[in-house]
Amino acid sequence: MKRLILTLGIALALVANLASATTTPGKIDATGPGARIHGMDISYYQHPGNASINFSKMYAAGIRFVIIKGGDSIDTYDAQAVKYMIPDRKAAQAASMYTSFYYFAYLPNSTVQSTIVSDAKAQAQKIIWRIASLGGYGGRDLPVALDLENNCVQFNSSGCAHYASAANVTLWAQTWLAAVASATGRKPFVYSYPQFLENAMVRSAALRQYPLWLAHYSVDPAVTTNQPNAKSVGCYADSWTNNDCSAQWQIWQYTSCGIAGKYGVPGTRVDLNVFNGDNNAFMKLVRGLWQPDSSQMLPINEPTAISITAQSAQTSNDPVLFYISVVRPNLTPVVTGTVAYVPASTMMSAGKQSITRNSSGSWLVSITNLRAGTYVGTINFTDPTNTEAPAQVPVVFTVAPAPTPSPSPITTPTKPSTPSATPAPSPKPKPTPPDSCAGQIRN
C-alpha cells in the first residue's frame, strides 16, 4: 500500500511538473536588432482577403511578442478588430509568443470636463469587457495598450475642423488608463509618437506611471546607442522624458515597413517593435493573473434610455438637427451602437442624414434634403453587437418653405467670338507616388 501511495505521489509530482513546464514561461530570446526582444503589432490589415497569418513562421523569424488590435472607438473598425483578436491571440500563444491588445481611441467632441471623463470611462469599459470575455489575462498576456495618436474631435471634408486641447487629451487619457488599471489590476501601456506626446498632451506625473510604447521611425535600433524620442538637436519633452533627454520607454515601434512575408504575414509590410530590457524586465510586465469580476462581463441586450437633449428645424434650406443622448441603466453612457432618424411612413422622406458621434452615448443627427412640411417619426438607437438593447424616442418637426429669392436682372447675352483652333495638349505624365517607407528600416 505504501509503495502504491509512493508511486502515485511520484506520478502526481511528474504531472504537476509537466503542467508547470507548459504554463511557466522560460527565457525569451533577444533576437531583435540591437540584441533586443523582438515584437510585432497587427490588425485586420494583416489579413487581406481574410488571409491567415503563419504565427509559427513568425516565431521562427525571431518574433517573441505580438500586439493585436483589440478595439476601436468607431463601431465599424471595432467590429473588424473583434473578428481577428481572439483567433490571432490563440494562434500566437500556441506558437509560444506573448500577446497584448491595443485600443485605438477617438476623443469626444466636447470641452466639458464631466463629459470627457464620462466618455473615457465608457470607452475603458469596452476594453475591460473585451478582456473579461477572454477569461481575463493569462500567463502569456502583456497588459492592454491605449493607442492615442489623434486629437481631432470634429472632421470635415478637408480634414480636421476642431482639435481637443492638450489639457482635455490628458484628462481623457488619465481617466481611461486609471479605469482599466483599476479593473484589471495591471497598468495598461500608452502607445503614441513623440510629437503627439509633446504637443497634444500636458506633461503629467500621473501619465509617467504607465508603461510607454513609443513609435519613432528612421532611427536604427540595431545601433545599441540609438534611442527613440531624439530630435536632430535635443529631444521631445513629454511625460516620459528623463532629465538626461532620454525617454522612459518599454516598447519601441521602430518601423512600419517590416518585410511582411519574412514573418509569415500576408501583404507587403508590417509594424516591428523591440523591448527595452532583458528577460527579467519583460517578465515583470507579464504578471498578476486577473480573473474577471462578473460585473465586468459584457452584458447582452442591456436596457437603454434614449432622449433628445436639443433639436432645431427651420426652413428647407437649413438642416434639421437633433442632439441625442443614450444611457445605460446606471445612467452612464452606452459604449457601442449608433442612432438614426426613421420616418413613420415609407411615403415620408428620411432626407440625407449625417450622424456625428460627439462622445460616448452622445450624437448629433443632421438631416438635409427635406421639403417643406410636417414630419413624424422616431430617433432609433441600435447596437449591432447586441450589447445594448435598441431604444427609440418619437419626434415631430416642421420644415418651413425656404424664402423665395429675388429675380436676377435680365441681361442680353453677347455672341461669343469663334475661337481659333489650338492643338490638343499633350497628356501629363502620372506622378510617381511617394515612397511611404522612405527613410524607414526595412527589416
Side-chain angles (χ1 to χ4, degrees):
M1 185 68 177
K2 289 182 179 179
R3 184 174 181 179
L4 176 61
I5 294 173
L6 178 61
T7 303
L8 180 60
I10 294 172
L12 290 173
L14 289 172
V15 170
N17 288 337
L18 178 61
S20 176
T22 57
T23 58
T24 303
K27 181 173 174 56
I28 306 167
D29 303 325
T31 57
R36 295 179 168 109
I37 297 172
H38 211 192
M40 179 182 293
D41 58 276
I42 59 175
S43 70
Y44 81 99
Y45 288 112
Q46 276 66 57
H47 292 277
N50 206 31
S52 298
I53 295 173
N54 186 338
F55 287 98
S56 296
K57 183 175 181 179
M58 186 185 297
Y59 182 88
I63 299 298
R64 294 296 177 262
F65 66 93
V66 184
I67 306 176
I68 306 161
K69 185 171 183 180
D72 196 290
S73 299
I74 307 301
D75 281 356
T76 303
Y77 303 130
D78 191 61
Q80 292 171 339
V82 172
K83 179 178 179 180
Y84 295 108
M85 61 171 285
I86 295 175
D88 281 354
R89 172 182 181 256
K90 182 178 180 180
Q93 292 190 3
S96 300
M97 285 178 283
Y98 294 85
T99 61
S100 177
F101 296 119
Y102 71 90
Y103 178 85
F104 192 97
Y106 289 97
L107 275 62
N109 184 13
S110 177
T111 58
V112 179
Q113 289 194 350
S114 60
T115 301
I116 293 167
V117 169
S118 176
D119 180 85
K121 288 181 178 179
Q123 294 201 49
Q125 184 65 69
K126 183 188 291 188
I127 204 68
I128 293 166
W129 279 335
R130 201 141 292 166
I131 299 170
S133 71
L134 302 172
Y137 285 130
R140 286 193 172 273
D141 287 313
L142 289 162
V144 70
L146 169 63
D147 186 335
L148 188 58
E149 54 182 289
N150 194 324
N151 59 338
C152 182
V153 295
Q154 184 178 343
F155 295 88
N156 57 24
S157 58
S158 59
C160 185
H162 183 63
Y163 293 92
S165 70
N168 287 343
V169 174
T170 303
L171 173 63
W172 191 97
Q174 290 180 169
T175 303
W176 190 98
L177 293 163
V180 173
S182 175
T184 64
R186 301 168 75 180
K187 293 180 179 178
F189 279 89
V190 175
Y191 169 87
S192 196
Y193 57 98
Q195 296 92 329
F196 186 91
L197 296 176
E198 180 182 65
N199 299 315
M201 302 185 75
V202 177
R203 292 176 64 186
S204 162
L207 282 178
R208 188 178 173 87
Q209 304 310 307
Y210 296 93
L212 177 64
W213 174 17
L214 191 63
H216 194 161
Y217 308 152
S218 305
V219 179
D220 191 353
V223 180
T224 55
T225 55
N226 282 348
Q227 294 288 330
N229 200 52
K231 295 180 180 178
S232 55
V233 177
C235 61
Y236 294 92
D238 56 59
S239 298
W240 291 268
T241 303
N242 299 321
N243 56 16
D244 64 353
C245 216
S246 63
Q248 178 183 276
W249 60 275
Q250 277 66 50
I251 296 177
W252 172 9
Q253 187 186 76
Y254 67 88
T255 185
S256 66
C257 294
I259 304 169
K262 172 182 175 181
Y263 301 97
V265 178
T268 58
R269 53 192 282 186
V270 71
D271 298 340
L272 296 174
N273 304 267
V274 289
F275 178 76
N276 186 21
D278 58 12
N279 183 83
N280 291 333
F282 187 88
M283 292 311 302
K284 284 182 179 179
L285 292 174
V286 186
R287 66 182 189 276
L289 298 181
W290 172 67
Q291 296 301 319
D293 187 286
S294 59
S295 65
Q296 301 293 358
M297 297 301 290
L298 190 69
I300 299 175
N301 284 328
E302 180 180 56
T304 59
I306 183 172
S307 61
I308 300 173
T309 59
Q311 71 179 70
S312 171
Q314 298 181 45
T315 75
S316 56
N317 284 346
D318 305 304
V320 177
L321 304 177
F322 290 97
Y323 291 86
I324 309 301
S325 173
V326 185
V327 296
R328 300 171 58 208
N330 61 4
L331 301 184
T332 61
V334 294
V335 178
T336 53
T338 189
V339 296
Y341 165 66
V342 178
S345 167
T346 55
M347 302 296 292
M348 191 176 296
S349 173
K352 181 180 179 181
Q353 299 186 47
S354 173
I355 313 298
T356 302
R357 174 188 172 278
N358 291 325
S359 65
S360 292
S362 175
W363 292 270
L364 167 62
V365 179
S366 176
I367 312 172
T368 56
N369 292 4
L370 291 177
R371 294 180 179 180
T374 298
Y375 293 81
V376 180
T378 55
I379 300 293
N380 289 10
F381 167 74
T382 55
D383 180 7
T385 70
N386 294 322
T387 301
E388 310 292 355
Q392 60 179 223
V393 60
V395 293
V396 178
F397 59 94
T398 299
V399 177
T404 303
S406 301
S408 301
I410 299 175
T411 57
T412 302
T414 57
K415 185 177 181 181
S417 58
T418 303
S420 57
T422 56
S426 301
K428 294 182 179 179
K430 293 183 179 180
T432 303
D435 182 2
S436 58
C437 287
Q440 287 203 44
I441 308 299
R442 290 176 167 88
N443 187 11

